[in-house]
Amino acid sequence: MKTIDELLAEGVGGQRVFVRADLNVPMADGLITDDGRIRAVLPTVKALAEAGAKVVVASHLGRPKGAPDPAFSLLQAAERLGELLGAPVAFAQDTVGPAAHDAVNGLEPGQVAVIENLRFNVGETAKDDTERGAFADQLAALADIYVGDGFGAVHRKHASVFDLPARLPHYAGYLIATEVGVLKKLTDDVQRPYVVALGGAKVSDKLAVIDELLKKADRILIGGGMAYTFLKAQGHEVGISLLQEDQVPAVTEYIARAKETGVELVLPVDVLVSTEFPDLKGLTPAHPTTVAADQIPADQEGLDIGPESRKLYASKLADAATVFWNGPMGVFEHPDYAEGTRAVAQALVDSPAFSVVGGGDSAAAVRTLGFDESAFGHISTGGGASLEYLEGKTLPGLAALED
């Protein structure tokens, strides 16, 4: 895999460089709520611009249905990129049409343009190779060189991620090179004890990675909504908590395998419960109750790990040499249910372990709760991509960058 440093050594002055970034930032009421993914691509964009390239940045945002939708426009992301660069960024209101060509043709060496949401074109996500390839051909007409730096999308076989690199000289940007280097530390040369903390809503999203981690991790901590399927598999009442009943047999098998192989599987011993899901807009007080994890009332739902679980999880992280954390421990967006997630984050800050925060909601939680990002070993920009890498899957976007 050639890197951007090799590209810069070859020289890019005056050349059009297509940077597939991941500007898929969270939005609320038309405003960006977390610009972490935009910041993550800055080193690559800056280096190319300073080397005199004409930089064309492209990304997806959300899941529009193959047609323009103002709710998913990249305009706000383009404006924020310009603010962070400290230089104007041109914005094209289409992906491969006249506006895109005008924006790119108007670039002077060292300038940057962002084209509109790639998913406004059905060819970006098409299952059909020919249809996807046709869109990649149109994108290729905008550039001379391809730089892949959208780690959050490398697990997708999409035109801009998989097909376009085959049509242009291609290189890995700084973000992708960093992400891959970090993930190799979790797979190829792991320092032990290796502790994994998994949270989030659905256990089905994590089954494949749990299957793989049972072969590699020394200890796995389970929290978030997925914990209630584990508690149910142990025969406990979970009330109206988030539950994937169809996953109970698989989880039961994993609990048994962990016991057989000596992997310590840690579940909550107490939880915060309520009769209703909290209001995340008005953030009115929730007044939760703390109960033992095996005594959740039938009319209540678990929304965060409790105080004893927080102490337990912190103790299980204290002696780790390597930690991977993916998924919050509760509904961290509400202050009354944020302490479980805060406790895990604080334990990582306090630990000398090499810690990797696995993207998505975990990364957002770290920033929302006010932690200094530099206190963690690495904060990934791609939750799904990180998990699939740890599962041992071939990621299309990485395979496309290999020579």
Side-chain angles (χ1 to χ4, degrees), residues 75-109:
L75 176 59
Q76 295 288 335
E79 291 178 347
R80 182 58 180 151
L81 177 61
E83 291 172 359
L84 293 170
L85 287 172
V89 168
F91 179 69
Q93 295 182 329
D94 59 28
T95 54
V96 291
H101 281 273
D102 287 347
V104 174
N105 292 337
L107 290 176
E108 295 293 332

Side-chain angles (χ1 to χ4, degrees), residues 246-292:
D246 62 326
Q247 302 298 333
V248 169
V251 168
T252 301
E253 178 191 339
Y254 287 167
I255 292 173
R257 274 181 55 197
K259 188 174 183 180
E260 290 168 7
T261 58
V263 176
E264 186 180 3
L265 191 63
V266 183
L267 299 179
V269 294
D270 61 347
V271 295
L272 300 186
V273 299
S274 176
T275 55
E276 59 184 6
F277 195 84
D279 171 21
L280 299 182
K281 286 197 173 180
L283 294 180
T284 54
H287 305 299
T289 303
T290 302
V291 300

Side-chain angles (χ1 to χ4, degrees), residues 315-403:
S315 72
K316 296 296 183 180
L317 291 164
D319 66 344
T322 305
V323 179
F324 175 68
W325 172 31
N326 182 284
M329 297 292 107
V331 187
F332 74 91
E333 299 91 341
H334 193 289
D336 290 338
Y337 299 108
E339 293 309 307
T341 302
R342 187 189 303 279
V344 169
Q346 187 63 55
L348 297 191
V349 170
D350 295 339
S351 170
F354 175 68
S355 58
V356 179
V357 181
D361 286 342
S362 308
V366 164
R367 289 186 276 267
T368 299
L369 298 177
F371 286 92
D372 181 351
E373 294 181 44
S374 66
F376 302 87
H378 178 70
I379 297 181
S380 178
T381 57
S386 297
L387 290 176
E388 291 197 17
Y389 189 99
L390 295 182
E391 289 167 26
K393 289 184 177 179
T394 297
L395 305 187
L398 296 185
L401 293 175
E402 297 288 352
D403 290 311

